[in-house]
Amino acid sequence: MTTLTFYTHPFSRSRVTRWMLEETGLPYDEVVLDFATTMKAPEYLAVNPMGKVPALRHDGVVVTENAAICLHLAELAPEKGLLPPPGSPERGACYRWVLFAAGPLEAFITARRHGALAPSTEAGYGNEADLMRTLEGALAGRTHLVGERFTVADLYMAALLGYYMRIGELAPTPWFEAYAGLHLQRPAAQRANARDDALVAARAESA
Ligand SMILES: N[C@@H](CCC(=O)N[C@@H](CS)C(=O)NCC(=O)O)C(=O)O
């Protein structure tokens, strides 16, 4: 039997992983860590030497990197159709958008937030105008990034866009709001958020 252990913190990118776990319907154990303490302790550094969350242990093998974890989970539940068939052009497009969000988009927003943008020809993220044109071209008037159904690409992109709009790092254009708003209403997203919100509340009470 498959065993999945999810290492997490409710105020982190792990919320994206939890949403994905909930979409798959697979059972999982969770280990909730604290920043700076248990996340940097030898026990957890043996799981992820980066001392960061999320991480997923799958039958004794560790997968880190949110995008890799989400793609892997999509493969573990093929009946949910969260990834198009292996080798199909649509599968390639899914990889494209998950990695575009996890790579250029995240890196650009983090660099800009900290006032450290690199020259656009060197940086994998290029520049803001090109990034926004690419995103708007993919999302304007559409509800799905790939084909006509919800995939892991929509999960990853909607989670990121929703978060960046909430913290004021992305202007809430009508396309972005409609797209993220639609997918964030999915029952699995709501279950995931409810679990993380409960973890936050429990910590506030015990503090
Ligand atoms: N590239 C990693 C980034 C993970 C990451 O930076 N996680 C943050 C939380 S959102 C973290 O664990 N920070 C704690 C620390 O670095 O001490 C991924 O995409 O999973």
Side-chain angles (χ1 to χ4, degrees), residues 89-118:
E90 289 77 17
R91 169 79 73 122
C94 263
Y95 290 149
R96 172 191 181 187
W97 290 115
V98 171
L99 297 186
F100 181 83
L105 185 59
E106 263 204 50
F108 171 80
I109 290 184
T110 306
R112 187 183 59 186
R113 187 171 167 79
H114 295 282
L117 283 173

CSV table of all heavy atoms in Angstrom, one decimal, residues 89-118:
chain,number,residue,atom,x,y,z
A,89,PRO,N,0.4,16.1,-26.5
A,89,PRO,CA,0.8,17.5,-26.5
A,89,PRO,C,0.2,18.3,-25.3
A,89,PRO,O,0.9,19.1,-24.8
A,89,PRO,CB,0.1,18.1,-27.8
A,89,PRO,CG,-0.3,16.9,-28.6
A,89,PRO,CD,-0.4,15.7,-27.7
A,90,GLU,N,-0.9,17.9,-24.9
A,90,GLU,CA,-1.5,18.6,-23.7
A,90,GLU,C,-0.7,18.3,-22.4
A,90,GLU,O,-0.6,19.2,-21.6
A,90,GLU,CB,-3.0,18.1,-23.5
A,90,GLU,CG,-3.9,18.6,-24.6
A,90,GLU,CD,-3.8,17.8,-25.9
A,90,GLU,OE1,-3.3,16.7,-25.9
A,90,GLU,OE2,-4.3,18.4,-26.9
A,91,ARG,N,-0.1,17.1,-22.3
A,91,ARG,CA,0.7,16.9,-21.1
A,91,ARG,C,1.9,17.8,-21.2
A,91,ARG,O,2.3,18.4,-20.1
A,91,ARG,CB,1.2,15.4,-21.2
A,91,ARG,CG,2.3,15.1,-20.2
A,91,ARG,CD,1.8,14.8,-18.8
A,91,ARG,NE,1.1,13.6,-18.7
A,91,ARG,CZ,1.4,12.6,-17.8
A,91,ARG,NH1,2.4,12.7,-17.0
A,91,ARG,NH2,0.7,11.5,-17.7
A,92,GLY,N,2.5,18.0,-22.3
A,92,GLY,CA,3.6,19.0,-22.5
A,92,GLY,C,3.2,20.4,-22.0
A,92,GLY,O,3.9,21.1,-21.4
A,93,ALA,N,1.9,20.8,-22.5
A,93,ALA,CA,1.5,22.1,-22.1
A,93,ALA,C,1.3,22.2,-20.6
A,93,ALA,O,1.5,23.3,-20.0
A,93,ALA,CB,0.2,22.4,-22.9
A,94,CYS,N,0.8,21.1,-20.0
A,94,CYS,CA,0.7,21.2,-18.5
A,94,CYS,C,2.0,21.4,-17.8
A,94,CYS,O,2.2,22.2,-16.9
A,94,CYS,CB,0.1,19.9,-18.0
A,94,CYS,SG,-1.7,20.0,-17.8
A,95,TYR,N,3.0,20.7,-18.3
A,95,TYR,CA,4.4,20.9,-17.7
A,95,TYR,C,4.8,22.3,-17.9
A,95,TYR,O,5.4,22.9,-17.0
A,95,TYR,CB,5.4,20.0,-18.4
A,95,TYR,CG,5.3,18.5,-18.2
A,95,TYR,CD1,5.7,17.5,-19.1
A,95,TYR,CD2,4.8,18.0,-16.9
A,95,TYR,CE1,5.6,16.2,-18.9
A,95,TYR,CE2,4.7,16.6,-16.7
A,95,TYR,CZ,5.1,15.7,-17.7
A,95,TYR,OH,5.0,14.4,-17.4
A,96,ARG,N,4.5,22.8,-19.1
A,96,ARG,CA,4.9,24.2,-19.4
A,96,ARG,C,4.4,25.2,-18.3
A,96,ARG,O,5.1,26.0,-17.8
A,96,ARG,CB,4.3,24.6,-20.8
A,96,ARG,CG,4.5,26.1,-21.1
A,96,ARG,CD,3.8,26.5,-22.3
A,96,ARG,NE,4.0,28.0,-22.5
A,96,ARG,CZ,3.4,28.7,-23.5
A,96,ARG,NH1,2.5,28.1,-24.3
A,96,ARG,NH2,3.6,29.9,-23.6
A,97,TRP,N,3.0,25.1,-18.1
A,97,TRP,CA,2.4,26.1,-17.2
A,97,TRP,C,2.8,25.9,-15.7
A,97,TRP,O,2.9,26.9,-15.0
A,97,TRP,CB,0.9,26.2,-17.5
A,97,TRP,CG,0.7,26.8,-18.8
A,97,TRP,CD1,0.1,26.2,-19.9
A,97,TRP,CD2,1.0,28.1,-19.3
A,97,TRP,NE1,0.0,27.0,-21.0
A,97,TRP,CE2,0.6,28.2,-20.6
A,97,TRP,CE3,1.7,29.2,-18.7
A,97,TRP,CZ2,0.8,29.3,-21.4
A,97,TRP,CZ3,1.9,30.3,-19.5
A,97,TRP,CH2,1.5,30.4,-20.8
A,98,VAL,N,2.9,24.6,-15.3
A,98,VAL,CA,3.3,24.4,-13.9
A,98,VAL,C,4.7,25.0,-13.7
A,98,VAL,O,5.0,25.7,-12.7
A,98,VAL,CB,3.2,22.9,-13.5
A,98,VAL,CG1,3.8,22.7,-12.2
A,98,VAL,CG2,1.8,22.4,-13.6
A,99,LEU,N,5.6,24.7,-14.6
A,99,LEU,CA,7.0,25.1,-14.5
A,99,LEU,C,7.1,26.6,-14.7
A,99,LEU,O,8.0,27.3,-14.1
A,99,LEU,CB,7.9,24.3,-15.3
A,99,LEU,CG,7.9,22.8,-15.0
A,99,LEU,CD1,9.0,22.0,-15.8
A,99,LEU,CD2,8.2,22.6,-13.5
A,100,PHE,N,6.3,27.2,-15.6
A,100,PHE,CA,6.3,28.6,-15.8
A,100,PHE,C,5.9,29.4,-14.5
A,100,PHE,O,6.5,30.3,-14.1
A,100,PHE,CB,5.3,29.0,-16.9
A,100,PHE,CG,5.3,30.5,-17.2
A,100,PHE,CD1,6.2,31.0,-18.1
A,100,PHE,CD2,4.3,31.3,-16.7
A,100,PHE,CE1,6.1,32.4,-18.4
A,100,PHE,CE2,4.2,32.6,-17.0
A,100,PHE,CZ,5.2,33.2,-17.8
A,101,ALA,N,4.9,28.8,-13.8
A,101,ALA,CA,4.5,29.4,-12.6
A,101,ALA,C,5.5,29.3,-11.5
A,101,ALA,O,5.8,30.2,-10.8
A,101,ALA,CB,3.1,28.8,-12.1
A,102,ALA,N,6.0,28.0,-11.4
A,102,ALA,CA,7.0,27.7,-10.3
A,102,ALA,C,8.3,28.4,-10.5
A,102,ALA,O,9.1,28.7,-9.6
A,102,ALA,CB,7.1,26.2,-10.1
A,103,GLY,N,8.7,28.6,-11.8
A,103,GLY,CA,10.0,29.1,-12.1
A,103,GLY,C,9.9,30.6,-12.3
A,103,GLY,O,10.0,31.4,-11.4
A,104,PRO,N,9.8,31.1,-13.6
A,104,PRO,CA,9.8,32.5,-13.9
A,104,PRO,C,8.9,33.4,-13.1
A,104,PRO,O,9.3,34.4,-12.6
A,104,PRO,CB,9.5,32.5,-15.4
A,104,PRO,CG,9.8,31.2,-15.9
A,104,PRO,CD,9.6,30.2,-14.8
A,105,LEU,N,7.6,32.9,-13.0
A,105,LEU,CA,6.7,33.8,-12.3
A,105,LEU,C,7.0,34.0,-10.8
A,105,LEU,O,7.1,35.1,-10.3
A,105,LEU,CB,5.2,33.2,-12.5
A,105,LEU,CG,4.1,34.1,-11.9
A,105,LEU,CD1,4.1,35.4,-12.6
A,105,LEU,CD2,2.8,33.4,-12.1
A,106,GLU,N,7.3,32.9,-10.1
A,106,GLU,CA,7.6,33.0,-8.7
A,106,GLU,C,8.9,33.8,-8.5
A,106,GLU,O,9.0,34.6,-7.6
A,106,GLU,CB,7.8,31.6,-8.1
A,106,GLU,CG,6.7,31.0,-7.4
A,106,GLU,CD,7.1,30.0,-6.4
A,106,GLU,OE1,8.0,30.2,-5.6
A,106,GLU,OE2,6.5,28.9,-6.4
A,107,ALA,N,9.9,33.5,-9.3
A,107,ALA,CA,11.2,34.1,-9.2
A,107,ALA,C,11.1,35.6,-9.4
A,107,ALA,O,11.7,36.4,-8.7
A,107,ALA,CB,12.2,33.5,-10.1
A,108,PHE,N,10.3,36.0,-10.4
A,108,PHE,CA,10.2,37.4,-10.8
A,108,PHE,C,9.5,38.1,-9.6
A,108,PHE,O,10.0,39.2,-9.2
A,108,PHE,CB,9.3,37.6,-12.0
A,108,PHE,CG,9.0,39.1,-12.3
A,108,PHE,CD1,9.9,39.9,-12.8
A,108,PHE,CD2,7.8,39.6,-11.9
A,108,PHE,CE1,9.6,41.3,-13.0
A,108,PHE,CE2,7.5,40.9,-12.1
A,108,PHE,CZ,8.4,41.8,-12.6
A,109,ILE,N,8.4,37.6,-9.1
A,109,ILE,CA,7.7,38.3,-8.0
A,109,ILE,C,8.6,38.4,-6.8
A,109,ILE,O,8.6,39.4,-6.1
A,109,ILE,CB,6.3,37.7,-7.8
A,109,ILE,CG1,5.5,38.0,-9.1
A,109,ILE,CG2,5.7,38.2,-6.6
A,109,ILE,CD1,4.0,37.6,-9.1
A,110,THR,N,9.3,37.3,-6.5
A,110,THR,CA,10.2,37.4,-5.3
A,110,THR,C,11.3,38.4,-5.5
A,110,THR,O,11.5,39.2,-4.6
A,110,THR,CB,10.8,36.0,-5.0
A,110,THR,OG1,9.7,35.1,-4.9
A,110,THR,CG2,11.6,36.0,-3.7
A,111,ALA,N,11.9,38.4,-6.6
A,111,ALA,CA,13.0,39.4,-6.9
A,111,ALA,C,12.4,40.8,-6.8
A,111,ALA,O,13.1,41.7,-6.2
A,111,ALA,CB,13.6,39.1,-8.2
A,112,ARG,N,11.3,41.1,-7.5
A,112,ARG,CA,10.7,42.4,-7.5
A,112,ARG,C,10.4,42.9,-6.1
A,112,ARG,O,10.6,44.0,-5.7
A,112,ARG,CB,9.5,42.5,-8.4
A,112,ARG,CG,9.0,43.9,-8.6
A,112,ARG,CD,7.7,43.9,-9.4
A,112,ARG,NE,6.7,43.1,-8.8
A,112,ARG,CZ,5.5,42.9,-9.4
A,112,ARG,NH1,5.3,43.3,-10.6
A,112,ARG,NH2,4.6,42.2,-8.8
A,113,ARG,N,9.8,41.9,-5.3
A,113,ARG,CA,9.4,42.3,-3.9
A,113,ARG,C,10.6,42.7,-3.1
A,113,ARG,O,10.4,43.5,-2.2
A,113,ARG,CB,8.7,41.0,-3.3
A,113,ARG,CG,8.1,41.1,-2.0
A,113,ARG,CD,7.4,39.7,-1.8
A,113,ARG,NE,7.0,39.5,-0.4
A,113,ARG,CZ,5.9,40.0,0.1
A,113,ARG,NH1,5.1,40.8,-0.6
A,113,ARG,NH2,5.5,39.7,1.4
A,114,HIS,N,11.7,42.2,-3.4
A,114,HIS,CA,12.9,42.5,-2.6
A,114,HIS,C,13.9,43.4,-3.4
A,114,HIS,O,15.0,43.6,-3.0
A,114,HIS,CB,13.6,41.2,-2.2
A,114,HIS,CG,12.8,40.4,-1.3
A,114,HIS,ND1,12.6,40.7,0.1
A,114,HIS,CD2,11.9,39.3,-1.5
A,114,HIS,CE1,11.8,39.8,0.6
A,114,HIS,NE2,11.3,39.0,-0.3
A,115,GLY,N,13.3,44.1,-4.4
A,115,GLY,CA,14.1,45.1,-5.1
A,115,GLY,C,15.4,44.6,-5.7
A,115,GLY,O,16.4,45.3,-5.7
A,116,ALA,N,15.4,43.4,-6.3
A,116,ALA,CA,16.6,42.8,-6.8
A,116,ALA,C,16.4,42.2,-8.1
A,116,ALA,O,16.9,41.0,-8.4
A,116,ALA,CB,17.2,41.8,-5.8
A,117,LEU,N,15.8,42.9,-9.0
A,117,LEU,CA,15.5,42.3,-10.4
A,117,LEU,C,16.8,42.2,-11.1
A,117,LEU,O,17.6,43.2,-11.1
A,117,LEU,CB,14.5,43.1,-11.1
A,117,LEU,CG,13.0,43.0,-10.7
A,117,LEU,CD1,12.2,44.0,-11.5
A,117,LEU,CD2,12.6,41.5,-11.0
A,118,ALA,N,17.1,41.1,-11.8
A,118,ALA,CA,18.2,40.9,-12.7
A,118,ALA,C,17.9,41.4,-14.1
A,118,ALA,O,16.8,41.6,-14.5
A,118,ALA,CB,18.6,39.5,-12.7
